[in-house]
Amino acid sequence: MNHNFICYSDLATEFALRLTDVLEAGPPPLPVWLDKRDLNPGGNWDSQVAEAISTCNILLFIMTSDSVDDASICKLEWTRALKYKKPIVPIKLDPTVEAPFRLANRQYIDFSSSFDQGLARLRNYFRWLASPEGAVQSLKYRLADAERDLRRAKDPAENARLQEEREQLKLDIANQEAIITDPQMTQARVQESVTIGIERDRLGEKPISTPRHAKFINPPPAVAPSYFQGRQVETQIIGDFLKNDTSRLMMVVGRAGVGKTAMVCRLLKALEGGQLPDDGGPMPIDGIVYLSAVGSHQTTIFNLYSDLSKLLPTVAATRLDALYKNPHASTDTKMRALLKEFPRGRIVIVLDSFEDLVDTETLDITSMEIRHALRALLDSPQHAVKVIITTRVAPRDLALVQLGRQVLLALDGLPSPYAENLLRAMDRDCKVGFRDAPDSLLNEARERTRGYPRALETLFARLSADRHTTLPGVLQDNAKLLSRNIVEALAGEAFNRLDADAQQVMEALAVYARPVTPAAVDFLLQPYVPDVDSTPILNRLVSMQLVLRKQGRCSLLSVDHDYAFGCLPKGKKRDRNKKNKPPFTQFALMDRAADYFKISRAPREDWKTIDDLSPQLAEFDLRYAGGDYDTAAKILSEIGFGYLFLWGFYQVLAELHERLDGKITNRTLKYQSRGELGNAYYRMGYYQKAIACYEQTVRDARDQNDPGTLGAYLGNLGSSYTELGMTDRAIIYYEQALTISRQLRDLQGEGIRFGNLGNCYAELGQIDRAIVYYEQALAISRQLRDRQREGLQMGDLAKVLIDKANYEGAAALSWESLQIGQEISSPQTSIWANCHLALICLCTNDLSRARTAAEAGRQYDEPDGKHYVLALLGLIALRQGDNEAAQEAFVEAVAQANELVKYSASNFRALDTNGLALSGLALCRDNSHVPAAIEAYKAAREITKAAGIVARALRLFDALAVVDEANVLAGVRRAAGGE
C-alpha cells in the first residue's frame, strides 16, 4: 500500500535498482515496489505483482526497446494499471523508443541524457500530480482513453459503461478546473456545506432513535434490495419459527456475504405490514427491535433492555427503568421482569452481525450481560418475545440451554436459477453485460462465487468500476482467486478499481466505523481534498452496492470496512498532532473523525438521556481506537459522574473505564478514571474491586498533593469496608476523611463524614456516640439546606432512637423525614422513613399502622431498602394472622435479598433479611426452610458480629418468634446471635 510500482524489462534492471535507491532515499523519501527486492520467494509471483499494481499510487513505466514491445510482460503490467485507474508516468531511458499507442498522449520524463536531470524532473512531476492541475491532467488522460475506446466500442454494455464514465470524467474535470480558477471560493463553499451539515447533526439530526410507543424500534440493519432472489424455503422456516409459541431463539448462521441480514430484514419488513412475504399469509406483529453489533444501535444490554421497554406503556417502562438502574439487580432479574411484561402477542428482536460478540477461540459470547439476557429469554416462563440472531459463528455457550426452544438455520449460497436472476436484476441498464449474458456464463459465475449474494454484488461493483473488464475476463483471469475467500477477494478487487476520490470516501466511512452523514465524510476529507463533495460519490457507491445508505446515513459492510481501513497506512501516533497538514494515516484520520463528533455535540443543557451522549461515546471510541487514551479519559470525566453515574449506567461507565485502565499517561486523569471505576464497582456491589481502585486512587492523590480527592476516596474506602462488615477499619478511614474536610473547611464533607461515623458507631452498638455524630451531621445539612441529606440523616437518627426505645422521638423524626422524601421525590428517603415508622408501630404493638407504613414503603424500588421492608411487611402480616400476605412478602424478600448476595456475598444486611424471611416462611408453610435460615444467619455473623447489627437482627427475630408456638425456630436464634 502507498507505494510506487516500477515497470521495466530486464534490459533496464540496473537503472531500475538505481532509481529505486534514490527515490526511497529522498528527499522526500518515496516508497517503491520493485520485484527484484519486494517479491516474496515463497509466494505466487503473479499474484504478488498483481496486488502491488492494484494498490500502488503511481506506475513508473521505464521505456526501452524491449519493454515497449507488444509481447513484453510490461504491457500486461501497465494495462492492468489502467484498469485500476492508476496514473502512469512513462520514463524514457532509450532516446529512440516511442511510447505504446495507448500511452502516447502522456507526458514522459526523459532520463536518456542525464540521470540527475531526469530525477529532478520526476520529483517535480510527482509534486505536480498531487496539485489540482495534476489531478485535472490525470482525469483528462482517462477521458481521452475513454473517448478513444468509445469510438471503437461495439458491445452495447461496453458502450453504456464508457458513456457513463465519460460523463462522470467531464464533471470531475469541470469541478477540478473550478478549484484552479477560484480555489478560495471552492474552499469557502466546502466549508459552508460542512458547517451546515455539522449544525444539522448537532441540533436537528442526532443518530436515529425511536420514540416510546413506536411499534418498530430502530431502523433495520439492512434493506433487502429490489433484486432480492430466492430464499423461499428459508423464509418459510423463519415464518414457522415465529408462529411456534414454544420456539424463542433462532440462529441464522452463514459465511460473510451469504445474505443472512437481507433475508431476515426482508421478512420483517413485510411483517411490518402484517403479511409474510412470498404469499406466506397474514401474521400480526406487535413490535420489532433491530440491533446490530455494528452501527448506531449496537447490541448492548442497555439498548436491548431500553429499546424493548419502548414497546410498553409509560408506567411499566418507568418501573422497569428504575429496575435497570438498580445496581444490585442481576441481568437475569432485569430480563425476567421485562419479559414478564410481554405475556402474549408476537415481539421480535433482531441481533445482527452477532459474530462480533463471539470469541473466535472459545466461541463464547464476550458480553456476559448479553449471555445472561439470552439465557433468561430461553429459561423464563411463557412470554411473547423471540430473538433472531444473524451470525457467521454460532456461540457455543447457548448450545445446551433449552435446546427445544432454539432453531438453527444454516445458510449457504443461492442455488440456480436464483443467483443468475440476481445478477440479471442488478444490471437493470445492461451496464456490465449481466442482463443479456448467456445462462452458461452466469452459471459459471454462480459456481465461482458459490452463490453468495454479497460476492455477486461485489462482482457487479467490480465490473461497474472497471470498464476494461468483462465477466468472461474475470472468470478466466481469476480462477484461483475466486476459489477461496470469495467475498473478501472480490471486495478488494472492487475497491482497487475505484478512482482515488471514491476510494478516499470509502476509507472515510471505514474510519468512522458507524453510519454517518455526507457532512461527516466531507469534514474528514477536507484537509486532503479542498473541493470535497462526497454526496455524488456516495450516490455512485450506493448504486454500485459498495455503500449502504439508511435514512441519510452511509456505512460499509464489515468486509468492505475491513479492506478499506486496511488500505490506510497506520502512521504514527504523533500524526494526531499535525492539525494543519495531517498525513493520510489511520491515526490522523481517527483523530479528525473524533473531532467531528466533538464539535457536533448537543449543548450541555440538552443532555437529558444517554442518547444525547451519542457523539461523546462515538468520540470516545475513536480516541481510544487511535491510542489517544488521555483525551478519551477527559471525555469520560465530562459525561461520567454527572451523567452516566447519576443516571444509573454503572455497567456502561465501568466498561469504558476498564478499557482505559493502565493506558492513561496523565497522572491526574489516571487516578480520576480509576476512582470513577471504583465508584461504579461500589454501586454494583463489587466492593473488593472498588477497594482496590480506591486504594490506588488514594496513593495517587497523595502523590499529586490533591487533598480534596484524597478525602473523598478515603471516605469511599470507609463506605466499602462498612459494606463488608469491617466497621472498625471503616472508622479509621472516615476519621481521616473528616480531618481533611475540616482542614479544607469543607462543611458538606464534614456533614457526610459525621453521618458515616454515626452509622459505624450505631452498628457497633455505641448508641449515644452515634447520636452525637448524627446530630452534628443533621445540623450541617440544615445549615446547607441539603434536603436530601437532611431527610436521610433524620431517618438515621430515628433508627438509633428506636434502638434506645425512644419511640416518640423516633416517630417525630420519621414523619418529618417522610415529608422531606415526598417533597423532593426521593425513593431512598421515603422507603426508610416508612420502614422506621413500621418498626416503631411493631415495637409498640400497633400492627395496623405498622402494616400501613410497610405497605407504603413497599412501593419504592430502592435496592438497599426493598428487601428489608418486604421482610418487615411479612413479619407484621404474620403477626396479624394473614399468612397468605406474609408468605407472599417473605418470598419476594428472599428473592430481593438473593439478588444482592449474588453481587456481593459479603452483604450481611441482605443475609440477615434472608434469615428472617426464611424463618417466616418456615412458620407460614413448613419447617423445611429452617436449615436455610440458619445458614443465612451464620453467613451474616461470619461477616460481622458488631453488637448493634446483632441487636437489630435479634430484635426482628424475636418479634417474629412471638407466633412460633410450636418452637419451630428454636435453633435459629442462636445462629442469628452468632452463637
Side-chain angles (χ1 to χ4, degrees), residues 97 208 317 379 582 784 814 818 846 977:
V97 300
I208 305 300
D379 285 334
L784 295 175
S814 298
L818 180 59
D846 188 350

Side-chain angles (χ1 to χ4, degrees), residues 819-868:
Q819 289 173 349
I820 292 175
Q822 293 173 342
E823 174 191 323
I824 65 174
S825 300
S826 168
Q828 187 180 18
T829 304
S830 300
I831 192 172
W832 282 112
N834 279 297
C835 285
H836 299 146
L837 287 169
L839 184 57
I840 291 166
C841 294
L842 175 64
C843 292
T844 57
N845 209 32
D846 188 350
L847 297 180
S848 177
R849 289 187 177 180
R851 184 162 179 177
T852 299
E855 291 281 10
R858 183 184 191 177
Q859 68 178 305
Y860 298 103
D861 285 317
E862 207 290 321
D864 293 330
K866 191 66 175 281
H867 63 95
Y868 180 86

Side-chain angles (χ1 to χ4, degrees), residues 464-618:
S464 297
D466 181 6
R467 62 179 174 79
H468 299 285
T469 302
T470 62
L471 181 57
V474 172
L475 300 178
Q476 179 181 357
D477 293 344
N478 295 284
K480 293 182 180 179
L481 180 66
L482 297 184
S483 66
R484 57 180 177 81
N485 299 327
I486 177 60
V487 176
E488 294 86 346
L490 283 176
E493 284 289 295
F495 177 87
N496 287 323
R497 280 171 163 77
L498 295 171
D499 58 64
D501 290 343
Q503 287 183 351
Q504 285 188 321
V505 167
M506 286 192 68
E507 287 166 340
L509 292 175
V511 169
Y512 279 114
R514 54 181 43 78
V516 293
T517 62
V521 176
D522 291 347
F523 175 86
L524 185 59
L525 296 179
Q526 195 175 6
Y528 313 97
V529 188
D531 67 322
V532 61
D533 182 6
S534 64
T535 298
I537 298 173
L538 287 167
N539 290 338
R540 279 194 287 135
L541 293 172
V542 169
S543 69
M544 293 168 65
Q545 321 302 330
L546 288 176
V547 167
L548 302 175
R549 180 164 55 202
K550 291 179 291 184
Q551 298 181 322
R553 294 175 182 271
C554 297
S555 61
L556 302 177
L557 288 171
S558 58
V559 64
D560 299 303
H561 164 276
D562 294 345
Y563 190 88
F565 191 75
C567 289
L568 292 167
K570 188 171 184 179
K572 305 290 184 181
K573 287 188 176 181
R574 62 174 176 267
D575 293 348
R576 298 193 302 259
N577 303 323
K578 302 173 183 177
K579 298 290 187 179
N580 292 331
K581 293 184 178 180
F584 202 70
T585 65
Q586 292 178 9
F587 281 113
L589 289 164
M590 284 190 287
D591 182 68
R592 184 164 175 84
D595 286 344
Y596 177 82
F597 288 111
K598 181 177 181 179
I599 62 178
S600 63
R601 295 179 182 180
R604 186 176 292 269
E605 59 268 21
D606 292 340
W607 298 0
K608 307 297 183 183
T609 71
I610 194 170
D611 285 340
D612 300 322
L613 301 181
S614 294
Q616 290 91 323
L617 294 172

Side-chain angles (χ1 to χ4, degrees), residues 717-728:
L717 273 171
S719 298
S720 298
Y721 281 112
T722 297
E723 297 297 335
L724 294 175
M726 302 172 69
T727 310
D728 290 333

Side-chain angles (χ1 to χ4, degrees), residues 58-79:
I58 296 171
L59 182 138
L60 302 175
F61 174 39
I62 300 174
M63 295 190 299
T64 61
S65 58
D66 186 38
S67 67
V68 298
D69 189 273
D70 281 347
S72 171
I73 192 69
C74 292
K75 183 175 182 180
L76 296 177
E77 293 178 347
W78 60 256
T79 53

Side-chain angles (χ1 to χ4, degrees), residues 225-229 417-432 434-436 442 460 543 545:
S226 58
Y227 48 79
F228 186 93
Q229 294 288 324
Y418 300 112
E420 295 90 327
N421 291 343
L422 187 149
L423 287 171
R424 287 194 171 99
M426 278 192 292
D427 192 19
R428 293 188 300 271
D429 302 327
C430 197
K431 186 169 60 176
V432 299
F434 288 166
R435 195 183 69 183
D436 300 326
L442 296 184
F460 173 80
S543 69
Q545 321 302 330

